[in-house]
Amino acid sequence: MFGIEVLEVVIGLIFVYLLLSLLATTLNEIIMNWLYSRGKNLKIALETMLNDEEGGDVLCEQFFEHPLVRKLRRKEKGSFPAYISNQYFSKVLIELLYPKEGGNIDKLRKGIEGLPEGKTKKVLRSFLLDAEGNLDKFKANLEVWYEEIMLQATAWYKRRVQIILFFLGLSISVVFNADTFRIAQKLSFDPDSRAQVIAQADSFIAKYDSLNTGVVEKEEIDTMRRQVYQLVHEEIEMSSSALGMGWKETKYKRLWLWGIPLPGVLRAVPGWLITAFAITLGAPFWFDLLKRLMSVRADGRKPVSDIKLTDTSS
């Protein structure tokens, strides 16, 4: 194959990774919203901060029952706010630590000393000592602590997302028989399939200027389900035959390993795994790469007379 044909095969692979990544990401958001929403993630992070392993609840329950926090929650029973700012956190926590009459740094110290013995109390004592009697500095210490914990919580969430995304990607690869090696072979030796996939990729780019695949809230789930249906029926099924995907006409020869006959479908496992790993990179990554390579392809197919040359004689 010549350079342009190789580029088109790569574009075809990237396009299938993009479509399957979109499907996996959408399904992943639905699952994460159901099993492990941002509100639940925030709750776990605050429990880590405001509860003690030995003594149980210290301040967490009071924190979520504070009027400022309750106003951030949705009306459904058991819901939690998806986000609390650093300033809100420090304000609510200081109000919980003060005795009922409110007051200055000395009364704040009294509130901390009234907490059960444990790690939470030790942390707050440390912040108070570091503040050297300055309430604003104590407040800033709380906000830095909260921000660090939120960074950790975000990392926890992302790890869970990546794990679920990989297994979703592997499941999708098997369901659609998206074997990377089989797809590459189909595109390499079938010019008509290459042309069909390139046309579909070009149409996809023209249809979508950018991809937004952020975390969704509960009220957006129905929209996400419609997107799944549309993606499967309008994009993936349309390109399946051209990409060599699907199970209808797929036949695998029996695989022999050390003289032992094994099901021929095992030949597809390496290709499925590669596809699954590709899906974990995310749709935005493949979309940006697809746009760049389509631009390179378009420039490569321009006649020499249409390409502007830079005058280097001066």
Side-chain angles (χ1 to χ4, degrees), residues 68-139:
L68 284 174
V69 178
R70 287 185 65 86
K71 284 290 185 181
L72 297 175
R73 295 164 67 168
R74 296 195 300 266
K75 293 183 179 180
E76 296 98 31
K77 186 177 180 180
S79 67
F80 297 94
Y83 172 77
I84 296 175
S85 69
N86 298 359
Q87 294 76 19
Y88 249 54
F89 171 78
S90 61
K91 177 178 175 60
V92 171
L93 192 57
I94 287 174
E95 288 186 10
L96 293 176
L97 291 171
Y98 271 140
K100 292 182 180 179
E101 68 270 15
N104 53 30
I105 196 77
D106 292 326
K107 293 182 178 178
L108 178 62
R109 184 178 290 107
K110 182 180 176 182
I112 293 174
E113 291 303 322
L115 296 175
E117 292 296 332
K119 293 179 182 178
T120 302
K121 185 174 182 177
K122 289 179 181 179
V123 169
L124 294 174
R125 272 178 176 168
S126 174
F127 290 158
L128 189 63
L129 182 64
D130 185 59
E132 299 176 337
N134 187 317
L135 185 58
D136 289 336
K137 190 172 181 181
F138 178 77
K139 184 173 179 288

Side-chain angles (χ1 to χ4, degrees), residues 216-233:
V216 297
E217 297 300 336
K218 188 174 181 180
E219 56 270 17
E220 297 175 304
I221 292 298
D222 288 340
T223 302
M224 299 293 279
R225 290 196 186 102
R226 288 194 293 272
Q227 289 177 359
V228 169
Y229 181 85
Q230 181 180 6
L231 187 62
V232 170
H233 289 277

Side-chain angles (χ1 to χ4, degrees), residues 57-66 92 96 115:
D57 183 81
V58 178
L59 287 167
C60 193
E61 186 175 344
Q62 297 177 60
F63 185 91
F64 278 108
E65 290 303 317
H66 191 282
V92 171
L96 293 176
L115 296 175

Side-chain angles (χ1 to χ4, degrees), residues 34-258:
W34 178 48
L35 293 178
Y36 206 77
S37 68
R38 284 187 292 177
K40 291 178 183 177
N41 197 53
L42 176 62
K43 179 177 181 287
I44 291 172
L46 287 171
E47 285 174 344
T48 302
M49 297 177 70
L50 303 178
N51 287 348
D52 285 331
E53 294 177 3
E54 303 84 1
D57 183 81
V58 178
L59 287 167
C60 193
E61 186 175 344
Q62 297 177 60
F63 185 91
F64 278 108
E65 290 303 317
H66 191 282
L68 284 174
V69 178
R70 287 185 65 86
K71 284 290 185 181
L72 297 175
R73 295 164 67 168
R74 296 195 300 266
K75 293 183 179 180
E76 296 98 31
K77 186 177 180 180
S79 67
F80 297 94
Y83 172 77
I84 296 175
S85 69
N86 298 359
Q87 294 76 19
Y88 249 54
F89 171 78
S90 61
K91 177 178 175 60
V92 171
L93 192 57
I94 287 174
E95 288 186 10
L96 293 176
L97 291 171
Y98 271 140
K100 292 182 180 179
E101 68 270 15
N104 53 30
I105 196 77
D106 292 326
K107 293 182 178 178
L108 178 62
R109 184 178 290 107
K110 182 180 176 182
I112 293 174
E113 291 303 322
L115 296 175
E117 292 296 332
K119 293 179 182 178
T120 302
K121 185 174 182 177
K122 289 179 181 179
V123 169
L124 294 174
R125 272 178 176 168
S126 174
F127 290 158
L128 189 63
L129 182 64
D130 185 59
E132 299 176 337
N134 187 317
L135 185 58
D136 289 336
K137 190 172 181 181
F138 178 77
K139 184 173 179 288
N141 287 339
L142 289 179
E143 291 175 5
V144 170
W145 182 37
Y146 176 73
E147 187 173 355
E148 289 295 328
I149 292 294
M150 287 302 103
L151 289 174
Q152 288 295 322
T154 301
W156 301 335
Y157 188 85
K158 286 181 177 179
R159 279 197 293 271
R160 288 182 177 89
V161 167
Q162 285 299 107
I163 291 170
I164 293 177
L165 195 58
F166 172 76
F167 285 105
L168 268 176
L170 185 57
S171 301
I172 289 170
S173 300
V174 174
V175 169
F176 290 98
N177 193 18
D179 176 352
T180 288
F181 296 114
R182 185 181 177 86
I183 294 169
Q185 184 180 37
K186 172 78 171 177
L187 292 173
S188 298
F189 297 102
D190 191 338
D192 292 336
S193 293
R194 278 204 311 273
Q196 182 181 337
V197 171
I198 293 297
Q200 192 177 350
D202 195 36
S203 175
F204 189 93
I205 291 173
K207 186 177 179 181
Y208 301 100
D209 293 329
S210 62
L211 295 180
N212 182 14
T213 58
V215 179
V216 297
E217 297 300 336
K218 188 174 181 180
E219 56 270 17
E220 297 175 304
I221 292 298
D222 288 340
T223 302
M224 299 293 279
R225 290 196 186 102
R226 288 194 293 272
Q227 289 177 359
V228 169
Y229 181 85
Q230 181 180 6
L231 187 62
V232 170
H233 289 277
E234 293 186 10
E235 299 290 351
I236 295 177
E237 284 190 357
M238 187 186 302
S239 57
S240 289
S241 59
L243 291 167
M245 293 163 56
W247 290 97
K248 290 182 180 179
E249 300 178 2
T250 304
K251 293 182 180 179
Y252 291 100
K253 294 180 180 179
R254 180 173 292 180
L255 179 65
W256 291 85
L257 185 64
W258 298 310

